[in-house]
Amino acid sequence: METVSTNRSYGGTQGVYSHASSATGTEMSFAVYVPDHEEGAKLPVLWYLSGLTCTHANVMEKGEYRRAASELGLIIIAPDTSPRGEGVPDDSAYDMGQGAGFYVDATEEPWSTHFRMRSYIEQELPALIAKEFPGDMSRQGMFGHSMGGHGALTFALRNPDRYKSVSAFSPIVAPTNCPWGKKALGRYLGLDKAAWRQYDACALIEDGARVTDILVDQGTSDNFLEEQLKPQLLTEACAKADIPLILNLREGYDHSYYFISTFMADHLRWHADRL
């Protein structure tokens, strides 16, 4: 692991790091915020997964999480959204290729060699975090935005013993039922829609996956709300499965980091209560 940068902020250290990933076969960068703490202490770990077109830098620069994370004693980890670099396949559209990994392990060419974000985030990066940072890996939570909200929900539903808390901003709750998801899953995973279900929060719940509870914030002026996000599908799935869901519909808020930063501290407190 190499240190790209470190900066002091709110009584903690905001760092950016890079390493050669065996999962993706590329150099990967990620951000970690570590509050000051007593020597030898282990802190809860909260993962933030970003949305389409983003890197770790979007939430790091615009998410406004450090004050609350420092007060609550939470380590915040922000991975990238896809592999990048020379030789990595890409697409001219913003919703495929680099910046649009959808947190899956691709099985279709040309994506299958490098686009292995599920393995990277479920296995490789946690092992590196446990080695290099003072995180208590028995106390992990996950949240994210849009495509990253989709990722957070699916990681938590597939690994309920690992992730003790989960929340999302404007998540893609049912990618098998929206244009973004159908395009990405079809091209990354092929045409067998049964393989898509492990990457669809509503389908996972229908198939028996469970978490303790879920928090979602959604802006009512989000221009992707009706066509792509469809939070009502998550409400229906959770109701049928008796999963407690808090869905906050925020009047007048859109899909941007102005929205995310407004309610960021609420989400951090939600996770801290559970971690």
Side-chain angles (χ1 to χ4, degrees), residues 157 205 209-214 237-245:
L157 286 161
I205 292 170
R210 297 291 183 268
V211 291
T212 303
D213 51 7
I214 299 171
C238 287
K240 290 178 181 178
D242 293 324
I243 298 175
L245 168 67

Side-chain angles (χ1 to χ4, degrees), residues 34-44 75 130 133-137 139:
V34 181
D36 288 350
H37 54 280
E38 294 183 4
E39 186 175 355
K42 294 287 188 177
L43 305 180
I75 292 175
F133 296 93
D136 181 352
M137 305 308 279
R139 291 186 290 163

Side-chain angles (χ1 to χ4, degrees), residues 42-246:
K42 294 287 188 177
L43 305 180
V45 173
L46 182 56
W47 298 79
Y48 178 89
L49 304 184
S50 294
L52 288 166
T53 76
C54 292
T55 70
H56 65 272
N58 295 76
V59 69
M60 187 178 77
E61 296 170 358
K62 297 185 287 187
E64 301 181 22
Y65 57 81
R66 280 174 287 270
R67 181 193 293 271
S70 179
E71 293 172 353
L72 296 166
L74 294 172
I75 292 175
I76 308 294
I77 304 169
D80 203 345
T81 54
S82 78
R84 300 177 190 271
E86 186 176 351
V88 177
D90 201 5
D91 193 278
S92 58
Y94 76 95
D95 55 356
M96 277 296 301
Q98 296 185 34
F102 269 83
Y103 304 102
V104 307
D105 277 358
T107 57
E108 298 294 303
E109 295 293 342
W111 313 104
S112 56
T113 299
H114 297 293
F115 278 68
R116 300 185 56 79
M117 292 301 294
R118 175 179 177 175
S119 293
Y120 178 67
I121 289 174
E122 273 187 348
Q123 300 170 29
E124 184 178 16
L125 191 53
L128 182 63
I129 295 299
K131 178 182 177 183
E132 299 287 349
F133 296 93
D136 181 352
M137 305 308 279
S138 69
R139 291 186 290 163
Q140 296 185 70
M142 186 168 277
F143 69 146
H145 169 235
S146 194
M147 179 185 73
H150 138 75
L153 291 170
T154 57
F155 280 116
L157 286 161
R158 290 192 306 260
N159 302 277
D161 294 334
R162 179 188 302 185
Y163 303 109
K164 309 300 183 185
S165 57
V166 62
S167 72
F169 299 100
S170 316
I172 305 169
V173 303
T176 62
N177 286 295
C178 75
W180 277 340
K182 289 178 181 179
K183 177 180 178 179
L185 298 180
R187 292 182 64 184
Y188 289 140
L189 304 176
L191 300 181
D192 180 6
K193 293 186 177 181
W196 299 7
R197 295 183 68 82
Q198 63 188 311
Y199 299 111
D200 182 305
C202 291
L204 283 165
I205 292 170
E206 289 171 4
D207 292 344
R210 297 291 183 268
V211 291
T212 303
D213 51 7
I214 299 171
L215 169 65
V216 171
D217 273 77
Q218 172 65 61
T220 61
S221 295
D222 189 322
N223 58 326
F224 302 114
L225 178 58
E226 298 300 327
E227 183 180 27
Q228 304 282 11
L229 306 178
K230 303 182 180 183
Q232 70 277 8
L233 298 180
L234 182 64
T235 298
E236 294 167 4
C238 287
K240 290 178 181 178
D242 293 324
I243 298 175
L245 168 67
I246 296 175

